[in-house]
Amino acid sequence: MPLRIAFFILVSLLIFPAPARSFQGFVQPFGENASIAWGNGEIVVVRMLEKAEDGESDKTAPLAVRKAAMQARKQMLDMILSIRIDSKRTVSAFLSGDDELAVRVRGSIQNSPFKRPSVFDESGGVRVSETLRGKLAELVLPTTIQFQSGIQPRLSTSMEQSLAFSDAVPEVVGSGADAYTGLIIDARGLKVTPALAPVVYGQDGLGAYGAFLISRKNAIDNGIVAYAISSDPVVLRERVGSRPLMVKALTAYGSWRTDLIISSPMARLVRAVMRPGDIIDKCRVVIVVDAPISLENTDVIIEGEIQPNEEQ
Amino acid sequence: MRNRLFFIGFILLLFQSGLAVAGEVRVFKPMEQELSHMQLRSQAMAEGFAQAVLEDAQNMLPGDMDEVRTELFKQYLIYHAKPYIQEYKVLSFQDMDAGLILRLDVKVNKRTLRDGLKRMGFFATLKAPQVAAIVVPEGMSEEAAVQLQDLVTLSGIQVADVAFPSFTLELAPEGVYKGRLVIKDREWVAMNKDLAVLWFDLWGRFFTRSELMAFRVKAQTLSVSGWFSPDAVLEFDRIIRGWDSVVQEVQLVEMDMQSTGVGASWNVRILNSDRLNMMLQAFLPQRGLSFQLSEDVVK
């Protein structure tokens, strides 16, 4: 019997390799019961059922299940609203200008995958989940973003002047650039805030990677970037392929530190690597950030992000 | 066995849905000496639109068109696809010695397309042709006769010696066609210089008669329960309205709000019961929802 079970598990792993090894990347905790995985975009909230007066939670009580599910989905909506789209706005700020879209996001969250508490599960909680890809991404990514425009964004003049330009310009990149399968940007130590549409600038002030290179459809399907806490290419292979270009970010940019600046020579190399093909189509870019220090710190960030009068 | 069938069905559904969302088309247009570069690009664009609309139409229809009808429809769309295009973006033009490759991102207006397919008779004649009498005038040019024959095939009409419906074509002065379509209790007349416009004007009225649709497509009640919020019901209403290929005339008729949860019922015309069942199975249970389809026709 145990052999049969082991065989079943092995076969399951072979048949369903993707979900089993799905790249979670940087898992940002929100309190003790929720998280956003910035690798595959999965958002999960687990909520315990309230205990009855006798101190026991009844896992089959419909009212308790409904209450826990409503609370979990409310928490998930708050998490989504607090996500930064780019350096200028959060999802909340974007939706505040479009009532119809806000209703659709709420409806989508209310229709998110849901697991009731199992009678065999001692913890006895409900689990709701959603993903920042596909339909939800279609709703929260503004259509005003100039996807695949090919027009490089430019840093503001004041910032441009304060940047030290590098004289070390690399040779024109030829066929060597084609060999790269993805891009890993090491931004550890820069206190980067994850965002749906960050921009990577060169020290020369011109955009090297961002929505201007990616089609809206590919951004919706894959996410413009993934975030991870490990720079190990083996760990990141699923997203960036077997031969990624490794770049060190110099600084984070913007009031919420969503964008990155890399050296001019590396920016030129990145632009050469970002040619039409798999890298662009599958958004094979990972930004490596610091691992979360403590849950308390994350709570502070959440509170700051859902301020109603935030700058748009 | 049933589980295995469901699993296979689910995989097929995933594959199918992947096709449905793909908005990118790729067209190769070979170089033609008599065409300028701009004309070649323009033709490639027209073919790209036709291809995108055809793909969406094939996903929307409850069955497969035969090859002849598919080719005729594609040719028709090269000149008539624009009303169905909601938006598009040229991704790239790649010029080569042999011609050019166009990559186009096209979003098709599905509601308009569904109405168009209905008017063209696709929903009514996909499984079985519509028998009709066709009367053509003497002295009709060979070119017009071929065009009429193509329209007959495209609309899924089988010509026979029947009383109704009967389509009569006449030649009016100044190259204008006059058509008359007669059914048992009604008659429609139209005039136009474009035979295709005239044809679909008249047959569109025939194929969109409510009694015909009611006869051809089953209507049932879909009941879903297990929601916790009315917002979720309204969102599912939007979702199921997008399942064009399996249901039509979706109408939310009831929302039942209890302290323990929210349920709702829809009247739907089902084009493909098996596929609808598969889509509901793929969407609802993982969201903690259960559903029931009534056996009875509701209207």
Side-chain angles (χ1 to χ4, degrees), chain A residues 49-81:
Chain A
L49 264 59
E50 282 186 4
K51 289 182 177 171
E53 288 176 356
D54 59 3
E56 294 290 317
S57 62
D58 181 358
K59 299 180 186 73
T60 58
L63 277 174
V65 171
R66 182 181 188 182
K67 191 172 180 183
M70 293 287 280
Q71 287 171 338
R73 283 182 168 144
K74 169 74 172 66
Q75 186 179 350
M76 187 156 73
L77 180 62
D78 287 344
M79 287 164 65
I80 290 166
L81 292 177

Side-chain angles (χ1 to χ4, degrees), chain B residues 220-232:
Chain B
Q220 293 189 359
T221 300
L222 168 68
S223 304
V224 183
S225 60
W227 280 296
F228 299 122
S229 155
D231 283 346

